[in-house]
Structures are given as C-alpha cells and as structure tokens.
Amino acid sequence: MTDIIVPAEQEGTKAVLKHWLKKPGDPVRVDEPIVEIETDKVAVEIAATAGGVLAEILVEAGADIEPGRVLGRIAEGNTDPANAAGPLASGPLPAGRRRSQEVPEIASLPPGIRRLLAEHSLRPEDVPTSGDRLTREDIEAEIARRAQKSTSGVKIIRHDSMRRRIAEHMAQSVRTAPHVTALFEADFAAIIAHREANKSAFAAEGANLTFTAYVVAACVAAMKTVPGVNARWFDDRIEIFEDLNIGIGTALGDKGLIVPVIHRAQTLSLLDVARRLSELTEKARSNKLAPSDVQNGTFSVSNHGVSGSLLATPIIINQPQSAILGVGKLQKRVMVRDDAIEIRPMAYITLTIDHRVLDAHQCNAWLTRFVETLESWTD
C-alpha cells in the first residue's frame, strides 16, 4: 500500500480537501493527479507517487486537513486504462444535453473545469452542454441559472472553501493584533514621468511596468530606514527578517483575494520586480499559482486604489506579519507648493501596523521614507 499524504510544504497549517479526482477501484498512474486540496491561498492537486488502484479514501471532500495527514491509499494492481470504470451511470438527461453525448469521467476533464465543478458542488451530469464537450461557459451558465433561484426574494450564495478561509483569516487577524493606521499622501509625478520614458523598454524585456513595481521598490527603501516593519511578534520576542518577501493582494473577482509573494525583493532591480509582478499576476488570474508563489511573505501591499477606492482603513494585516501598506486611487488634486497652487497626481498612502510590534514614530518614519522615494524617483 502507498499512502496519499498532504504535502508538508503547503502554505499555512490548515487546508480543506476540495475534491477527489478518482474513486475507490479506479486505476491510478504515477504522477497522475488524484486529489485536490485548497487553502485560503492556493488550490493544489496531489499526484500519485505510485501506480495501482485507489484502494481506499480515508478523508472525504470538505474535511479540514493538515500537512502530513494520510488522505487515502493506493494498492498495487492493474493500471490499464481499458480496465477503468466506464462513464458515470446515466439517469434522466438534463434539458439541453445532447442525447448522443456521454457524460465524461471527472478525471478526464481539464483541471480548471474540475475545479470549477467542485467549487460549486456540481457533477458533469448536472450541467447541460451546448456542444460536443463540457466547457467553462456551460458550467457558468448552469451556475447563473441556479443563482436565479431564490427564497422569499433572497439570493443565496453558498460559501466556498476560499471564502470561508479568508473570513477566518481576517477575523483571526483582528482578534490577534491591535490595528493602528497612519495616513500620508504621495505625489506620483516623478514615477509617472519615469514610467512613460521606460515602459516600452520594459515591455521589450517581457515586463509590464506598473505603478506597483515602483511601490515595491519604495517599500525596499523604507525598510532600510525602519527594518522593524518587516517583523513578526512572538510572546517573548520580536523577530526581524533580513529578506523582504512582499505579498501583493490580487483580486480574483467574486472569488476573493489571493496574495502572491515577491521573494527577496531587496535583491531585485525595478525590471526584475516588474517582470516578477507580470508573471505572478498572470498565474493568479489563471489559477496556476504554485504553493511556493504564496509562501513566506513578511509584508503585504493592498493596492485597493485600482478598484477606485481613495482610502481604506484599517486594512487587515496578513497574519503573522506586522504591517500592511495601502495605496489609494491616483487622482489629480489641487495642492499648495511654495505658496503656489498646483494640480498634482496624488494618492493616499496608509500603513496599518500591529501596535504590539511597532509604535507611531516608526510607522511615520517608514511612510516618510516611502513617500520620499516615490516623489524623488530619477533613475
């Protein structure tokens, strides 16, 4: 027997078993995905480490799991696909399904399709298809149809595991840390000029030069002034990290939020940061983030201004970190400079801190250096 085990390197200590891709008795090949787990950070498929037959399932879908837990077992046996179980038993076909079409096996579907079905507790036979194969559009149409059903005029949206994990994480952070927020504002004129002069060259190098890249670089500069912002609280000590691993909050629409991490940002050039941001954003939005892409963050950035917010406070700290930066919407505003009225491209900048770790003077010193870096950008 070979155990199917939750990887020890998963992000965090808790996860949920999302979906089994095989059922007992199904043949299994080495490196074939067999079960999917999900944390509040990322969904991961666990592959079989041995060939044979899925002998038993020890943990059912929806259960909380932790690293090292045995989920099921594989027995030696015939892995010839010809001996696999046939298509799912057919009952009455849903309206809209083609009569000549067989219902596909779950394991034969693309990972994205399997994930979408599992997230909404659907089976392939639940979804009427518009063509010869099950597509994402078919599933989304069925989800929309079901969402229209209401009780007493109330639309019911069931929590998926990511939404539950986000809720638990946010509530735990507020219970754990006394949140304090300081507000500054920054003039973006210098980095706007630099970006206009360099974005084509960056694009030629495969990097989308966004304002977020400058924000990350300014965070690195500010950490040199106040290293304690890149820290973690323990009951008997504070640990300050040498490596600056910056998580960037990335919205996934109604699905929620995920925080991919730029590791060792203090060693990266602006081009390196821009290239890494482009890679992570694409992976996040196509649901292809690996566990290593969301692990070991030491500081986070909430770029909430991209969705139109001028100011958000407090922004909840991503535990066990000690601070989170908020960047509001870039907006032209009337400012007074040297007794003259000017129109400047401005944004509100906040730093929310864990007051157990940091005090106001450290918070303000960090923000001062951060803003100075953005406003004096030349190279």
Side-chain angles (χ1 to χ4, degrees):
M1 289 279 192
T2 301
D3 291 339
I4 304 165
I5 300 174
V6 180
E9 67 271 16
Q10 75 166 56
E11 173 74 351
T13 58
K14 291 181 64 178
V16 65
L17 194 153
K18 188 69 175 173
H19 185 64
W20 281 98
L21 306 178
K22 296 280 188 177
K23 57 182 181 292
D26 283 353
V28 176
R29 298 185 298 274
V30 176
D31 295 329
E32 181 181 16
I34 191 169
V35 63
E36 184 178 61
I37 66 174
E38 185 177 72
T39 72
D40 61 334
K41 306 279 188 178
V42 67
V44 179
E45 290 180 343
I46 298 176
T49 57
V53 174
L54 180 58
E56 57 181 332
I57 288 174
L58 302 178
V59 182
E60 295 296 332
D64 288 340
I65 53 178
E66 61 282 333
R69 183 168 180 179
V70 178
L71 303 179
R73 293 189 174 93
I74 299 171
E76 294 183 3
N78 192 338
T79 61
D80 184 351
N83 294 326
L88 297 173
S90 59
L93 292 175
R97 181 178 296 284
R98 296 189 173 187
R99 286 285 172 182
S100 62
Q101 180 182 350
E102 292 184 336
V103 178
E105 288 277 6
I106 280 283
S108 70
L109 296 171
I113 295 293
R114 296 199 304 266
R115 185 173 296 115
L116 189 59
L117 287 169
E119 286 172 355
H120 296 276
S121 301
L122 293 172
R123 299 168 300 173
E125 62 264 38
D126 294 333
V127 184
T129 58
S130 56
D132 295 329
R133 61 186 177 85
L134 184 63
T135 67
R136 175 176 290 272
E137 289 73 20
D138 293 330
I139 300 171
E140 290 173 345
E142 177 64 11
I143 293 168
R145 185 188 69 79
R146 295 186 177 208
Q148 290 177 354
K149 293 182 178 180
S150 62
T151 302
S152 300
V154 177
K155 181 179 178 181
I156 298 173
I157 301 175
R158 302 295 179 187
H159 298 315
D160 60 19
S161 58
M162 177 174 280
R163 176 50 57 191
R164 286 195 298 269
R165 298 298 177 187
I166 290 173
E168 291 169 1
H169 188 60
M170 295 297 99
Q172 183 263 340
S173 180
V174 172
R175 289 193 301 268
T176 299
H179 286 55
V180 175
T181 300
L183 170 66
F184 278 46
E185 56 184 343
D187 187 332
F188 273 52
I191 62 173
I192 288 173
H194 185 272
R195 179 174 178 270
E196 287 299 316
N198 292 274
K199 62 182 181 180
S200 295
F202 275 58
E205 297 289 337
N208 181 22
L209 182 56
T210 64
F211 292 136
T212 304
Y214 295 93
V215 168
V216 170
C219 287
V220 173
M223 289 297 181
K224 295 176 181 178
T225 299
V226 189
V229 173
N230 196 43
R232 180 177 177 182
W233 168 271
F234 292 88
D235 288 341
D236 63 343
R237 67 193 186 280
I238 293 173
E239 292 186 355
I240 300 176
F241 302 104
E242 292 184 4
D243 282 341
L244 178 52
N245 300 332
I246 302 180
I248 307 296
T250 303
L252 301 177
D254 293 337
K255 175 67 177 175
L257 182 77
I258 199 163
V259 188
V261 177
I262 299 175
H263 295 94
R264 304 191 72 232
Q266 78 278 8
T267 67
L268 304 179
S269 66
L270 184 64
L271 175 61
D272 293 332
V273 171
R275 185 182 290 122
R276 185 63 178 145
L277 276 171
S278 299
E279 294 170 355
L280 288 172
T281 300
E282 175 58 30
K283 290 172 74 174
R285 290 175 178 163
S286 59
N287 207 18
K288 294 181 180 179
L289 286 170
S292 59
D293 291 326
V294 296
Q295 290 176 338
N296 303 319
T298 60
F299 180 77
S300 295
V301 175
S302 173
N303 195 8
H304 59 85
V306 297
S307 58
S309 172
L310 291 175
L311 178 65
T313 181
I315 301 173
I316 306 302
I317 295 168
N318 187 11
Q319 293 292 331
Q321 299 167 21
S322 295
I324 184 168
L325 179 72
V327 182
K329 178 182 177 182
L330 182 61
Q331 185 180 62
K332 288 184 178 181
R333 293 201 287 270
V334 175
M335 307 295 294
V336 177
R337 300 291 174 85
D338 298 325
D339 293 329
I341 295 176
E342 300 179 4
I343 297 176
R344 309 293 297 181
M346 306 295 295
Y348 292 116
I349 307 294
T350 60
L351 187 67
T352 298
I353 60 171
D354 180 344
H355 212 339
R356 299 173 303 171
V357 179
L358 298 160
D359 296 320
H361 73 279
Q362 294 167 294
C363 179
N364 292 341
W366 191 98
L367 281 169
T368 297
R369 181 65 183 126
F370 176 86
V371 171
E372 286 175 347
T373 302
L374 291 182
E375 294 187 342
S376 61
W377 198 283
T378 56
D379 54 9

